[in-house]
Amino acid sequence: MKKQLMSALLLGGMVSGSALGETVYVTLEKDNALAVVDAAQRKLVKTVKIGKRPRGIVLSKDQRQLYVAASDDDTIQIIDTDSLKVVGKLPSGKDPETFAMDPDGRYLYVSNEDDNQVTVIDIAGKKAVKTVPVGVEPEGIAVSPDGKWVVSTSETTNMVHWIDRQSLDIVDNTLVDPRPRACAFSDDSRQLWVTSEIAGTLTVFDVDTRQPVKKIGFKIPGVTQEKIQPVGIRIDKDRRYGYVALGPANRVAVIDAQKLEAVDYFLVGQRVWNLEFSPDQARLYTSNGVSNDISIIDLKQQKVLKSVAVGQYPWGLVVKP
Amino acid sequence: MLPISKRLPLIFFSLILAALTPAYAAKKTAPKQQPKETAQAKLDQLSIAYLAQETQSQPTLPFFDEVIADQGIQGARLGIQDNNTTGRFTRQHFSLRESIVPQDGDVAAAFKALLADGHRHILLNLDAAKILELAAFPESQNVLLYDIASRDDGLRDEACRSNVLHLLPSRAMRADALAQYFAKKRWNKWFLAVGPGDGDKLYAEAIKRAAKRFGSKIVAEKTWQHTFDERRTPESEVPVFTQGIQYDVLIVADESGLFGDYLPYRTWQPRPVAGTQGLVAAAWHRTHEAWGALQLQNRFRDQAGRWMTEEDYGAWLAVRAIGESATRAKSVDFDKVKAFMLGEEFALAGFKGVPLSFRRWNGQLRQPVLLAWSRSLVAVAPVEGFIHPKNELDTLGYDEAESKCRF
């Protein structure tokens, strides 16, 4: 019960009115550091040195720890959210970049780009329990909220690998457009969204059949098609809207998640990589790799509120209530 | 850089590794050097051939540069590995037949032997004249030849062949890339220094064409006479060579590296150097890390123990183009693979941020060109602002309307 409540808090965003008290943690790939942003003040409050080339970042279910992929240290660091000290590490395998956590917070699933595999880590035991061979350069990874699937996308093989979470065997592989980057499940676990960076598309899969139901392209007046390189994805809890970071197009696309079409674009910082909701899903935070800042978007007013300078190559971000 | 004594075991080691790799692959699947259907019917088999001729090592190679004897082939090997990782999921298996002809060996005979063994995808690391010779054989008409090394514009233009695809950017594409960048910088007055080689003259032609296309001017052109003796040094020669000319940038056409590296910091006036030395236009460069390129750099270095050269990149691209087409066509059948590769849907991820595809009018792989000096990537062409009605990559090199290639 307690666990369920925790997940509901994190995923569903039942946090009450004083929502702006949240903190945003941003990994800075080039600075080997973690930036801490106070969302209420919209201000960078602290930068702490962490491992080399930090990229993927996940908040633990109890929100007391951050897991950060220190790619050039070949490890996932555990960072205490209060003291901001590195308190431990997890054996991620080589060059960890992105990873995802179980709905119950016990395991991490890590893409090892250089080794063409996914490493499964038991967080409490601090050990790797299995590796699953996948395609060339696994990148995007997601666990379905119902706990059935782990999905890995491989950038050079151009496939979605469907891994059964119980057996940890690949049960299916589906081809997608070139250079699949990120993937995300809808909260009801019925859809999987996959972005293809080079093709400039978003493919929506029906999870039951594991077949694509729609491929969505993007068109922005005044922006050439080559600049549209979709990366990070967030889908709201009601599956009303989804958001896709479009890289060097410097836009976040708003997708009508029912009609499955792009309906609007937010202009944010340069080369927008990754996205994260506020716990109440009223705001969206974006990491902008080239302009070295994060953008704060108010989703109710549909407006970009502010950009906050954070440091060099902001990569991933998480939001703690 | 490693001294030769330490390098030798390294080279030896990679040779052993190389020798082991196909053998390992062969154990799982087909007997060695057997591209045709095998008893193991479950996997679709495709054997790709690689043909090269040993060349004399570059006479001007400076002491701090490594001698590389296996450029090209290492890229092909990595491509095969990448194809097979994908092939595990698509039930396709790729193998590589390596044919390296000695300096005085018969390339045509080696080529015909590959054809006789049933190879229809053949990578060529050969010069333009040899490629033309092989492409013209009657038995070559229903195969695809992948030119992984040449930069020759003639081969892509008047002398083009419908059975040859070109993986690396031509001289014209490279010159256009530089010209776009200098147009943006407004460094419009160029002083062109041309070396004595045939390639140097062709490179200079490409530079002149690029200057015209992008609004720059060649204010002077001089031929470098390579005649250093005891009394003539770069310190004395270069200032004199560059004296009395008003220009923004010194463009050097020196493909064999005879003198180009002597130019920077020795000119009469303080001026940057670009072209074949200084700021270079390249298909691939060790300073390139964006768009996941670092992953390819790392994978390659793990395998080869050295940096990836342009020829390695060309060979990798060729093998990946075949693999990607076989994956998408769901077949290793030659006609299906070829149809997909040359069709509208083909989009190859080459770690340069945009999908790569073949120009149908001359078989050239359209791709961004990197502008870099030895320690930093400066820009990537097409430079922002140079637009094209169909594909901005076609602002580089001979566009459809200009092409004299008729298949």
Side-chain angles (χ1 to χ4, degrees):
Chain A
M1 184 62 213
K2 201 175 167 191
K3 252 179 210 161
Q4 274 172 358
L5 187 68
M6 281 294 188
S7 335
L9 276 174
L10 195 78
L11 296 166
M14 285 165 63
V15 175
S16 61
S18 65
L20 266 178
E22 65 219 23
T23 309
V24 185
Y25 299 92
V26 189
T27 52
L28 303 173
E29 184 179 354
K30 213 64 188 205
D31 282 346
N32 302 332
L34 182 75
V36 184
V37 174
D38 182 315
Q41 299 182 53
R42 299 177 196 165
K43 225 171 93 181
L44 174 70
V45 289
K46 204 165 188 182
T47 308
V48 287
K49 285 277 169 200
I50 53 172
K52 280 193 219 130
R53 204 163 171 231
R55 294 194 280 177
I57 178 167
V58 164
L59 183 64
S60 70
K61 292 291 172 195
D62 64 7
Q63 299 171 357
R64 287 164 63 181
Q65 292 184 326
L66 295 166
Y67 306 116
V68 174
S71 301
D72 285 357
D73 287 335
D74 301 329
T75 188
I76 289 180
Q77 295 186 316
I78 306 172
I79 296 162
D80 184 284
T81 49
D82 287 330
S83 69
L84 296 173
K85 291 232 158 40
V86 177
V87 293
K89 58 183 184 181
L90 299 169
S92 61
K94 252 183 89 185
D95 194 25
E97 181 175 355
T98 54
F99 56 100
M101 189 160 57
D102 257 358
D104 51 13
R106 279 189 61 196
Y107 295 101
L108 292 180
Y109 303 87
V110 189
S111 302
N112 298 123
E113 280 195 306
D114 289 354
D115 292 337
N116 306 334
Q117 63 187 26
V118 167
T119 301
V120 185
I121 301 172
D122 171 0
I123 301 173
K126 293 189 181 173
K127 58 174 193 258
V129 291
K130 181 154 183 188
T131 56
V132 185
V134 291
V136 184
E137 289 173 53
E139 169 87 20
I141 192 153
V143 186
S144 62
D146 65 7
K148 272 189 174 161
W149 295 105
V150 178
V151 151
S152 160
T153 63
S154 44
E155 287 179 317
T156 294
T157 295
N158 302 325
M159 273 183 187
V160 174
H161 307 284
W162 300 78
I163 302 166
D164 180 295
R165 195 176 70 97
Q166 292 308 317
S167 66
L168 293 177
D169 290 323
I170 294 183
V171 296
D172 202 358
N173 304 285
T174 338
L175 271 175
V176 286
D177 278 350
R179 270 188 96 71
R181 285 298 298 255
C183 50
F185 283 94
S186 58
D187 268 18
D188 58 10
S189 296
R190 293 180 60 189
Q191 281 187 355
L192 175 76
W193 293 21
V194 179
T195 48
S196 290
E197 185 180 33
I198 287 276
T201 56
L202 167 74
T203 305
V204 177
F205 283 89
D206 173 56
V207 173
D208 284 342
T209 60
R210 299 190 295 275
Q211 289 304 309
V213 290
K214 182 90 189 261
K215 193 169 7 175
I216 301 170
F218 305 93
K219 271 213 165 14
I220 308 169
V223 178
T224 57
Q225 286 308 109
E226 295 87 64
K227 287 241 149 49
I228 297 175
Q229 298 176 4
V231 197
I233 307 166
R234 280 293 174 266
I235 310 167
D236 70 19
K237 58 183 190 300
D238 305 323
R239 216 211 295 157
R240 182 75 198 84
Y241 291 107
Y243 303 89
V244 176
L246 297 182
N250 308 338
R251 304 290 197 291
V252 172
V254 183
I255 313 285
D256 182 322
Q258 296 298 314
K259 293 182 183 157
L260 295 178
E261 58 192 34
V263 290
D264 201 3
Y265 299 94
F266 293 119
L267 179 64
V268 293
Q270 289 170 31
R271 201 160 185 196
V272 51
W273 280 127
N274 282 306
L275 307 173
E276 192 52 273
F277 282 125
S278 62
D280 62 357
Q281 301 199 341
R283 283 164 305 287
L284 187 71
Y285 300 92
T286 77
S287 59
N288 311 320
V290 171
S291 51
N292 297 334
D293 51 15
I294 63 167
S295 298
I296 306 174
I297 304 170
D298 186 314
L299 296 175
K300 291 215 173 95
Q301 298 180 53
Q302 306 220 348
K303 174 169 131 180
V304 181
L305 297 178
K306 199 181 174 191
S307 57
V308 181
V310 288
Q312 290 193 82
Y313 284 28
W315 197 98
L317 67 181
V318 294
V319 184
K320 178 176 166 275
Chain B
M1 216 47 62
L2 290 173
I4 189 91
S5 58
K6 286 199 181 153
R7 233 186 283 138
L8 272 175
L10 227 177
I11 293 168
F12 187 62
F13 177 69
S14 35
L15 281 177
I16 290 184
L17 244 181
L20 284 175
T21 314
Y24 163 71
K27 223 186 285 168
K28 278 198 302 191
T29 57
K32 217 176 181 177
Q33 303 185 352
Q34 175 57 283
K36 287 164 198 157
E37 293 293 307
T38 66
Q40 283 228 2
K42 276 191 164 178
L43 289 175
D44 282 337
Q45 303 283 342
L46 181 63
S47 179
I48 298 169
Y50 176 96
L51 177 63
Q53 184 163 31
E54 284 173 358
T55 50
Q56 222 154 22
S57 64
Q58 206 182 328
T60 52
L61 196 74
F63 72 91
F64 47 78
D65 271 356
E66 211 173 335
V67 180
I68 302 174
D70 56 358
Q71 60 181 347
I73 187 69
Q74 288 281 9
R77 286 176 194 153
L78 186 64
I80 290 284
Q81 247 185 49
D82 287 353
N83 283 359
N84 282 335
T85 309
T86 303
R88 284 206 318 259
F89 305 109
T90 52
R91 313 215 54 79
Q92 293 176 338
H93 187 267
F94 299 83
S95 51
L96 187 68
R97 165 81 173 274
E98 303 180 8
S99 175
I100 315 287
V101 181
Q103 237 172 300
D104 55 357
D106 186 346
V107 176
F111 178 72
K112 286 185 175 167
L114 293 172
L115 290 176
D117 274 350
H119 289 92
R120 297 178 76 182
H121 298 278
I122 304 178
L123 276 60
L124 303 176
N125 186 352
L126 298 167
D127 61 33
K130 264 276 163 337
I131 292 171
L132 279 180
E133 183 195 328
L134 303 184
F137 291 148
E139 54 268 56
S140 304
Q141 298 321 304
N142 211 4
V143 299
L144 276 177
L145 306 178
Y146 300 82
D147 161 24
I148 61 122
S150 99
R151 294 146 192 223
D152 194 81
D153 284 297
L155 195 54
R156 291 152 170 86
D157 209 37
E158 309 92 13
C160 72
R161 288 276 172 182
S162 62
N163 52 352
V164 184
L165 297 172
H166 310 279
L167 280 303
L168 293 185
S170 68
R171 291 186 181 97
M173 290 167 75
R174 293 164 196 261
D176 286 348
L178 283 169
Q180 287 186 358
Y181 181 69
F182 292 144
K184 190 185 167 199
K185 299 293 289 177
R186 296 174 191 271
W187 297 352
N188 296 328
K189 287 185 280 185
W190 301 356
F191 171 14
L192 180 58
V194 188
D198 291 338
D200 302 343
K201 293 186 181 82
L202 292 171
Y203 189 90
E205 286 312 311
I207 289 290
K208 288 180 205 169
R209 173 181 174 274
K212 247 187 230 147
R213 291 183 93 203
F214 296 101
S216 284
K217 199 166 180 253
I218 313 277
V219 293
E221 179 183 342
K222 279 192 183 179
T223 303
W224 180 269
Q225 302 298 341
H226 189 70
T227 54
F228 291 138
D229 61 28
E230 292 89 351
R231 290 153 299 165
R232 304 176 69 190
T233 64
E235 287 71 26
S236 61
E237 286 292 289
V238 177
V240 175
F241 184 76
T242 56
Q243 195 178 3
I245 298 160
Q246 294 304 319
Y247 64 101
D248 296 325
V249 54
L250 175 56
I251 308 241
V252 54
D254 171 29
E255 292 197 335
S256 49
L258 281 179
F259 67 100
D261 283 318
Y262 293 132
L263 301 181
Y265 306 104
R266 292 190 174 102
T267 49
W268 185 262
Q269 289 181 301
R271 291 291 179 269
V273 174
T276 50
Q277 283 79 21
L279 183 73
V280 300
W284 192 251
H285 200 267
R286 67 170 195 166
T287 57
H288 177 44
E289 62 171 340
W291 301 300
L294 194 55
Q295 292 148 31
L296 184 61
Q297 303 271 26
N298 287 342
R299 257 188 293 142
F300 185 87
R301 287 176 72 204
D302 280 352
Q303 177 196 285
R306 60 171 176 80
W307 290 99
M308 187 177 218
T309 66
E310 291 206 38
E311 288 80 0
D312 294 315
Y313 181 63
W316 181 86
L317 283 172
V319 174
R320 281 294 302 134
I322 299 164
E324 175 69 12
S325 303
T327 307
R328 300 280 171 186
K330 298 187 169 65
S331 169
V332 295
D333 173 74
F334 177 79
D335 293 321
K336 286 183 185 159
V337 169
K338 181 180 173 184
F340 188 90
M341 195 184 302
L342 303 179
E344 287 292 338
E345 279 180 77
F346 179 76
L348 187 62
F351 297 92
K352 293 200 279 197
V354 292
L356 315 183
S357 52
F358 289 100
R359 290 178 179 155
R360 267 182 296 174
W361 58 92
N362 68 353
Q364 167 71 51
L365 188 72
R366 52 166 74 84
Q367 61 192 294
V369 173
L370 311 175
L371 297 173
W373 68 285
S374 59
R375 307 278 300 172
S376 173
L377 185 74
V378 176
V380 180
V383 171
E384 194 160 0
F386 292 92
I387 53 176
H388 188 279
K390 286 192 184 134
N391 186 329
E392 279 166 25
L393 293 176
D394 290 338
T395 60
L396 303 173
Y398 286 83
D399 202 355
E400 191 161 13
E402 307 161 274
S403 176
K404 294 195 205 76
C405 171
R406 298 285 174 271
F407 288 147

